[in-house]
Amino acid sequence: CSTFTDSAGTCCSAGSVLDTCGLCSTSASTSVLDLYGSCCLSGSLDASLLCCVSGLVDTCGQCDGGGTSCATQASVSVQVQDNTGLSDSESAEYSAFTQDFRCFICGT
């Protein structure tokens, strides 16, 4: 080899450079290193910073996901009269209300 070899032992052609993974490249490479330092040739990391081999990462950061793995958060505001006991977060009424509300949300 008249130039240099890459991390795979391939002889690089003149004008080549080593990419992030130490492989021969003649243009801008998309390869990146994942969380464990492994070469990710697709250049796509998921939300856990692991290589997504297919390169298809959804908007939620899931490799090969369909967008349904996104965390969802909602807030609810409830107005109650002062005489219900719900204004005191330590009261039995408040505890019962929050348990009922969780059951309502979770469907149990």
Side-chain angles (χ1 to χ4, degrees):
C1 181
S2 62
T3 56
F4 55 93
T5 57
D6 66 8
S7 60
T10 303
C11 182
C12 298
S13 61
S16 292
V17 294
L18 293 178
D19 68 7
T20 306
C21 295
L23 301 173
C24 298
S25 178
T26 55
S27 62
S29 174
T30 59
S31 65
V32 294
L33 298 178
D34 73 3
L35 177 67
Y36 299 108
S38 298
C39 183
C40 181
L41 295 176
S42 71
S44 296
L45 301 178
D46 67 11
S48 301
L49 301 179
L50 298 177
C51 184
C52 180
V53 176
S54 69
L56 303 173
V57 178
D58 69 10
T59 57
C60 305
Q62 182 70 35
C63 181
D64 299 325
T68 59
S69 62
C70 297
T72 304
Q73 183 175 2
S75 61
V76 177
S77 177
V78 178
Q79 290 183 331
V80 295
Q81 295 178 353
D82 288 340
N83 62 355
T84 61
L86 296 178
S87 59
D88 177 10
S89 64
E90 302 295 321
S91 72
E93 292 86 356
Y94 184 86
S95 178
F97 171 78
T98 56
Q99 181 61 34
D100 287 347
F101 190 76
R102 283 190 193 106
C103 291
F104 170 73
I105 296 297
C106 296
T108 58

